Amino acid sequence: MAASPLACTIAAQTIDPMLLGAGLAALTGLAVAFTELICRYRDEPLQAVRYPAAIAYLVLNGVFASIAYAFSGAPAMSSCTAELGVAVGVGLLAMAGTRAKLFSVKTGDGTEVSVGPALIAERLLAMLDRYIDRKRSADRMALMVRVCKPLESLTSDQALRLLD
């Protein structure tokens, strides 16, 4: 699907092409990180993205992609669609680059440790997993307290009759 010539003309007249490209690369990085997060939490995929740590992870990926675009030296293209394609391509390459591992090292206890940019991404995701798991368990605990609160006043006989 090509961008409309009118939209490209308007965007080129009002927004600096470098800023537009960096923004599109950032959106690409955000989309990749968003997809990564919702695939990790299949039971409630969108709920995992609502926490501040997840939002920080999304923004960080967008920043990485836009910085990659700024340093890519992407020349000004003759057409808007070519510029958009370069921005998306650089954003995807940045995401691939931040998840690349040069090699793995097996430690004494048998765990594999990545060497390269993937080490940072893996550590951030592990930290994010722990944070989201703690928040989700606290939310579920609060739900259980609310659900079980009315049952406190029941006698044991009444509670057993509920189970029948």
Side-chain angles (χ1 to χ4, degrees), residues 47-67:
Q47 292 298 316
V49 184
R50 72 183 172 108
Y51 298 111
I55 293 169
Y57 182 74
L58 294 173
V59 170
L60 186 64
N61 278 275
V63 168
F64 284 156
S66 62
I67 289 172

Side-chain angles (χ1 to χ4, degrees), residues 20-30 61-62 65-66 68-69 86-88 90-92:
L20 184 63
L24 189 58
L27 284 175
T28 303
L30 284 167
N61 278 275
S66 62
Y69 182 81
V86 167
V88 170
V90 169
L92 289 173

